[in-house]
Amino acid sequence: MTKPLRMRPIVLAKKLGMTQYFNQDGDAIPVTVMELAENIVTEIKNDLKHGYASVQLGANIKKEKHLNKPKLGNLKKKNLPNLGYLKEFRIKPEESEKYKVGEPLDPSSILVPQEYVDISGISIGKGFQGMVKLYQKKRGPKSHGSKSYRQPGSIGAHTYPGRVLPGKKMPSRMGNERVTARNLRVVEFDKEKNILLVRGAVPGVEGTLVEIKPSIKKWNP
């Protein structure tokens, strides 16, 4: 038995950085400031033609030379700007009438103050790292003659099985992967300035695009 598909609308935003926000009680709240992207509807898919219903959003306007020809030709055919980032989310078939190609998406139904959202983005890349920083392993002894100060130590038995088992934690690349921060509360949403404040940290460096969707774990009040 397959699990029911969870359909959640998506809003694209650009991360600007972090700051403090003082509420009515005078408490300082750490927040991430984000600017909403264009969020232009670029395509609407239906069950008859594509086999499923979805909406594709576009953001991050670029020059023509920075887009490949298939994407550029598809956008020009629909009289759309040169959008460098496209993201699709599933919808119910009866909801397709709410969207129109070329019109911006209204984020007010998702970005409601005091409600929870999930934000996904590409985390900051930290390069090739060792066991201590990557997996918080304990260091070796610092005494005289020690050769395992920050080394991984033994990685397997000698005679049996005579190999390194798959999945063994080893030094490797850290960061630069898709991360989702869950259950972040919306502190404030300024619709006129397209500025969003969310409590807590959001993955990614400043200036990158992130995806915002309603929380999947915690019930919104």
Side-chain angles (χ1 to χ4, degrees):
M1 183 177 179
T2 58
K3 296 182 180 179
L5 183 64
R6 294 185 175 95
M7 300 178 182
R8 295 184 292 167
I10 291 176
V11 173
L12 303 176
K14 182 172 69 172
K15 179 180 176 180
L16 299 181
M18 294 194 68
T19 184
Q20 285 183 337
Y21 176 85
F22 293 90
N23 59 12
Q24 297 179 353
D25 298 330
D27 299 330
I29 302 175
V31 296
T32 300
V33 184
M34 289 170 286
E35 181 184 10
L36 294 188
E38 292 78 12
N39 287 300
I40 299 175
V41 178
T42 58
E43 188 175 358
I44 302 174
K45 297 184 178 180
N46 52 48
D47 290 333
L48 297 177
K49 185 176 181 180
H50 304 93
Y52 65 96
S54 69
V55 173
Q56 186 185 79
L57 292 180
N60 196 9
I61 298 178
K62 294 185 175 181
K63 297 180 180 179
E64 288 189 6
K65 64 180 182 179
H66 294 152
L67 297 180
N68 55 37
K69 290 186 177 180
K71 182 184 290 186
L72 187 62
N74 187 25
L75 294 173
K76 282 188 174 181
K77 187 187 301 182
K78 303 173 184 176
N79 295 323
L80 296 175
N82 303 328
L83 302 171
Y85 186 86
L86 301 177
K87 182 63 180 180
E88 184 179 302
F89 63 91
R90 299 286 288 269
I91 61 172
K92 296 180 180 179
E94 58 270 17
E95 295 179 350
S96 60
E97 299 179 355
K98 300 179 182 179
Y99 307 93
K100 292 184 179 180
V101 176
E103 293 186 358
L105 182 69
D106 184 15
S108 58
S109 60
I110 304 174
L111 307 178
V112 180
Q114 305 306 318
E115 291 197 357
Y116 295 92
V117 293
D118 295 342
I119 301 181
S120 302
I122 304 299
S123 63
I124 299 175
K126 300 182 183 298
F128 194 89
Q129 299 296 335
M131 302 290 289
V132 175
K133 183 172 182 177
L134 185 58
Y135 297 111
Q136 292 77 49
K137 295 291 185 179
K138 292 184 178 180
R139 61 168 179 79
K142 280 187 174 181
S143 58
H144 180 69
S146 174
K147 297 181 180 179
S148 59
Y149 177 38
R150 295 176 69 93
Q151 303 297 324
S154 175
I155 60 175
H158 177 64
T159 304
Y160 179 83
R163 61 189 178 93
V164 179
L165 297 177
K168 178 67 177 177
K169 292 182 178 180
M170 299 285 286
S172 62
R173 189 190 68 179
M174 183 178 183
N176 194 26
E177 58 186 2
R178 183 179 173 86
V179 177
T180 299
R182 301 191 183 277
N183 304 329
L184 301 179
R185 187 188 292 272
V186 176
V187 177
E188 186 176 344
F189 173 49
D190 191 338
K191 193 172 182 180
E192 296 181 357
K193 298 181 181 180
N194 285 337
I195 296 297
L196 173 67
L197 301 181
V198 175
R199 176 164 187 162
V202 171
V205 299
E206 298 178 0
T208 57
L209 285 177
V210 295
E211 304 164 13
I212 307 173
K213 61 191 74 173
S215 177
I216 198 174
K217 283 189 174 182
K218 186 176 294 185
W219 288 102
N220 286 319

